[in-house]
Amino acid sequence: MERKIWIDTLKGLSMLAILLFHTEVYYADHDVINYNYYVENALMAFAFASGYLFLKPQQALDIKRKMKSILTKLILPYFAFTIILALGKWLLNSHGYSLGELLLHVVTGVASWYVAALIVAELLFCLILRLTRNNLLLMFIIVFAFFLGVALLSSPQYYALNSQIADYWKWKEAMLLLFFIALGHIYSRHEDKFHFFNRTPSIIFLLVMVCIVKYLEQINNLQLVVAPVSITYYSVFIFDCAVSILLLIAICRRLPSLSIITYIGKNSLIAYFLCGAVPFIISTTFRRLGLPYNGDYLRIVLVYIFVIDATTITAYLLKRAYKFLRNNF
């Protein structure tokens, strides 16, 4: 199957957004640009892309093959990267945790929460597709039931119960990803019916809708935080992310192939594992060179450029050095 550049561009832009967020957090000690403006959209766009690519067009589900794919492309890399990063954190003593605590974070899925949630979501989605024999309507009903379960559990009346339930392997966040994985899968099965949204008038309309919903979220101080799950209105969350994804798709389909963005998109999972370590190292280096943030956003831009370059180069070197990464990413 011919590789679709627009989906790599979508994943690349989503990953660049996550790198920007981590750069701000590590360099400025907080998210300078409001989280609600773009972070949840990037996270859900990546989940949508995972759903879009979950099966090839018109391909029937081979559960053994898919489970093997999840094992080699998600589970094994999760343990490999997080154990190495845990050892690095322990040697540098950068987070104040003992080696035992860091390894416990790996085992319980805390070490890289998004990848852990994605693993749970994809495994569950695979089982749902098998159960429903890829009946899209029945699949969506089951997925939506899981989504509503987390929404209900996270509501104020169940706050006490929710706070007592351990979020190992980020199963709550996984239910949010599961919903957008399902949407991505539905989109891939009926892609021709969504071409309407790729027209110029539709793009303008989607852009206006995104601006309006972001403005309403801001003036009403709504929370749309994915991890830990803290969402004021789930209906707003769905609308915001769905419209933003449709807008991103339309834009990405029109963009020319931009090598660094598509490369990061093709290697987005490797980049995600690096999105904590690389911004931390470069931000620390800038501070030690006497260049702290001090409210100057141009310095964040400079650090961000270094972060993008370092992430891209590191991903390239890792793939050159390890055959496993070349074969699976």
Side-chain angles (χ1 to χ4, degrees):
M1 183 180 67
E2 184 181 354
R3 193 172 189 107
K4 295 185 177 181
I5 299 300
W6 73 263
I7 199 73
D8 287 329
T9 304
L10 177 65
K11 292 195 295 179
L13 289 176
S14 299
M15 196 63 245
L16 288 175
I18 300 305
L19 285 171
L20 175 60
F21 172 72
H22 282 87
T23 299
E24 289 186 348
V25 169
Y26 281 111
Y27 189 52
D29 294 323
H30 66 283
D31 51 329
V32 182
I33 301 175
N34 192 300
Y35 178 103
N36 282 5
Y37 287 164
Y38 71 100
V39 180
E40 76 277 5
N41 305 108
L43 295 171
M44 295 305 113
F46 190 79
F48 183 94
S50 298
Y52 181 88
L53 298 170
F54 199 80
L55 292 176
K56 294 179 181 179
Q58 309 310 317
Q59 179 188 39
L61 174 67
D62 182 337
I63 193 164
K64 289 184 179 179
R65 183 178 179 181
K66 194 61 193 178
M67 288 291 189
K68 182 180 178 181
S69 175
I70 294 172
L71 174 67
T72 56
K73 293 185 178 182
L74 286 176
I75 297 175
L76 292 180
Y78 167 83
F79 281 104
F81 275 101
T82 54
I83 288 173
I84 292 171
L85 290 172
L87 291 173
K89 291 176 183 178
W90 175 63
L91 291 172
L92 294 173
N93 194 29
S94 60
H95 289 70
Y97 292 113
S98 67
L99 180 59
E101 289 173 321
L102 290 169
L103 293 178
L104 181 62
H105 290 170
V106 172
V107 173
T108 56
V110 176
S112 183
W113 76 265
Y114 189 86
V115 180
L118 190 61
I119 290 170
V120 173
E122 288 208 3
L123 287 172
L124 183 55
F125 188 62
C126 191
L127 294 174
I128 291 172
L129 286 182
R130 175 65 181 272
L131 177 66
T132 60
R133 299 184 182 276
N134 207 21
N135 181 309
L136 294 184
L137 178 60
L138 183 56
M139 175 273 290
F140 183 76
I141 291 172
I142 294 175
V143 167
F144 192 60
F146 279 106
F147 182 87
L148 285 179
V150 169
L152 180 63
L153 189 61
S154 302
S155 61
Q157 57 266 42
Y158 291 100
Y159 177 79
L161 174 62
N162 182 40
S163 61
Q164 294 173 7
I165 300 175
D167 194 18
Y168 294 142
W169 282 90
K170 295 298 176 180
W171 65 269
K172 298 173 190 174
E173 290 80 357
M175 297 306 103
L176 304 184
L177 301 190
L178 176 65
F179 182 79
F180 284 91
I181 286 173
L183 292 184
H185 180 68
I186 293 171
Y187 184 96
S188 72
R189 289 310 198 221
H190 299 283
E191 191 168 350
D192 57 319
K193 294 181 176 61
F194 290 92
H195 286 326
F196 169 81
F197 292 103
N198 301 327
R199 301 171 183 172
T200 300
S202 298
I203 293 174
I204 295 171
F205 174 76
L206 291 171
L207 179 59
V208 170
M209 288 297 99
V210 169
C211 292
I212 290 173
V213 74
K214 293 296 182 185
Y215 173 73
L216 293 175
E217 289 165 5
Q218 180 68 19
I219 64 173
N220 290 288
N221 196 30
L222 302 187
Q223 292 295 314
L224 302 177
V225 178
V226 177
V229 178
S230 179
I231 298 173
T232 309
Y233 291 107
Y234 283 83
S235 56
V236 175
F237 174 78
I238 292 173
F239 180 81
D240 181 335
C241 292
V243 173
S244 297
I245 289 170
L246 288 173
L247 177 62
L248 275 172
I249 290 173
I251 292 172
C252 290
R253 285 182 181 275
R254 294 190 171 208
L255 285 176
S257 178
L258 304 171
S259 56
I260 190 166
I261 295 177
T262 55
Y263 186 82
I264 291 175
K266 291 176 184 177
N267 300 282
S268 52
L269 187 63
I270 298 175
Y272 191 88
F273 283 117
L274 300 172
C275 73
V278 172
F280 171 76
I281 292 170
I282 293 179
S283 297
T284 302
T285 301
F286 266 73
R287 287 199 190 96
R288 290 182 177 178
L289 290 173
L291 295 169
Y293 168 52
N294 287 343
D296 184 357
Y297 200 84
L298 286 177
R299 292 191 178 184
I300 288 183
V301 173
L302 180 61
V303 173
Y304 181 52
I305 292 170
F306 274 88
V307 166
I308 293 172
D309 290 341
T311 301
T312 306
I313 293 169
T314 305
Y316 173 78
L317 293 176
L318 285 172
K319 290 192 72 172
R320 286 291 301 269
Y322 297 101
K323 184 178 179 180
F324 175 81
L325 294 178
R326 291 198 300 274
N327 293 339
N328 290 282
F329 294 89

